[in-house]
Amino acid sequence: MISNLEIKWLHDIVVLEECRSFTLAAEKRNISQSSFSRRIQSIESSVGFEIFDRNTNPLQLTTQGKSFIVYARNLLDDIYFQINRIKGIDNDKQKINISAAHSLSVFLLPDFISQFSKNVDKIFFVESINVDEAVHKLKEGQSDFILSFYNEELMSSPFLHTKILESRLHLVSPCDEKKRPIFNIDSSTLPLMKYTDESYMGRQVNQLINKSDNLPFELSFVSSMSDVLKRMILTGSGVGWLPDYSIKNELEKNELAILDPKLSVTMGVYIYRTEARLNISSERFWQFMRNQTAQ
């Protein structure tokens, strides 16, 4: 049974998680290191498990600590939010932290956020990073959500997920002034604008290329970002795979053309979170995103 759990201790573990150093965290909390260490021990004694693994350098959260830090952050957020609401102060805003795959943060996430709510009682913090880093931030409690593609590691407890939509990666060519594809799949050489091998889309494209025979690609340009590849393709520099949600307008205007639908790749877009309770605004955003799936 939890007893004598003090709010200042929750602040302590949040700061320690950010600093990953007892010395730096104690300085930030303006107390001696010995007193700070005792307070961390007190909260661990109160909850009944170790929050931090002291055998690592820098300091790391334990498996239970990764779940608890999410509760701690959002509990503090909710406490101050509700107190300010009771006091009639309306300038306190709750944070919604989202890590998103780059193409999704550029082409999809802004629309979801604008549809969610026009209220000003929240602040969205969106970070566009690679999928592996986003997964790490979710595990460490540094993000409330990941908007990304299918990830086996996040499909079971302690994570929750919902599928937002299904998209397709199409092999496209730029078109000429007569709206005809500049490149043809039967050409002797196709200059390829390619994703990096480490990126999610790069891995999907590599698998397809490895299964296909006699594709006349000549590697010309490499980037991890869809919008950079899109710009290069639109200049007439070559062909490449682009997600359907990023090229709707260009396909309608015949600025781009799909070379061969058989070479398209299907990708599921998901939003992920931990099972830990989030703040009120984040929980509302989660329900909103789940409703997008239903629609």
Side-chain angles (χ1 to χ4, degrees), residues 61-102:
L61 291 164
T62 64
T63 300
Q64 291 170 309
K66 291 176 181 178
S67 297
F68 186 73
I69 196 71
V70 180
Y71 280 111
R73 279 202 183 94
N74 287 292
L75 178 59
L76 288 171
D77 197 17
D78 266 348
I79 287 174
Y80 294 117
F81 182 80
Q82 296 297 349
I83 288 175
N84 281 323
R85 175 178 288 180
I86 292 169
K87 292 164 67 176
I89 300 173
D90 60 3
N91 61 352
D92 190 50
K93 300 182 180 182
Q94 291 190 309
K95 296 179 181 179
I96 301 178
N97 296 295
I98 305 174
S99 297
H102 188 270

Side-chain angles (χ1 to χ4, degrees), residues 236-281:
S237 299
V239 303
W241 275 266
L242 294 173
D244 53 6
Y245 52 76
S246 73
I247 55 175
K248 290 180 180 179
N249 291 336
E250 289 77 13
L251 290 175
E252 291 176 359
K253 296 177 181 178
N254 293 313
E255 294 175 357
L256 292 174
I258 298 173
L259 287 183
D260 186 348
K262 294 179 182 178
L263 295 175
S264 297
V265 181
T266 300
M267 305 183 300
V269 177
Y270 294 80
I271 188 167
Y272 302 94
R273 58 169 288 184
T274 65
E275 294 173 337
R277 179 182 175 276
L278 304 175
N279 65 42
I280 294 173
S281 293

Side-chain angles (χ1 to χ4, degrees), residues 115-160:
Q115 294 169 29
F116 170 52
S117 174
K118 302 301 182 183
N119 297 336
V120 294
D121 60 347
K122 65 192 71 64
I123 303 175
F124 282 92
F125 286 80
V126 176
E127 193 171 11
S128 179
I129 53 180
N130 67 56
V131 175
D132 292 337
E133 188 178 354
V135 171
H136 174 75
K137 289 177 76 69
L138 185 66
K139 288 181 177 180
E140 295 292 311
Q142 297 170 6
S143 294
D144 296 320
F145 304 105
I146 293 178
L147 184 64
S148 186
F149 305 101
Y150 179 85
N151 189 298
E152 181 68 32
E153 193 175 2
L154 302 179
M155 287 293 168
S156 57
S157 182
F159 304 105
L160 302 174

Side-chain angles (χ1 to χ4, degrees), residues 210-227:
N210 291 336
K211 293 178 182 178
S212 304
D213 296 325
N214 302 321
L215 292 176
F217 292 129
E218 181 178 272
L219 186 61
S220 298
F221 184 83
V222 178
S223 175
S224 62
M225 296 181 288
S226 290
D227 53 336

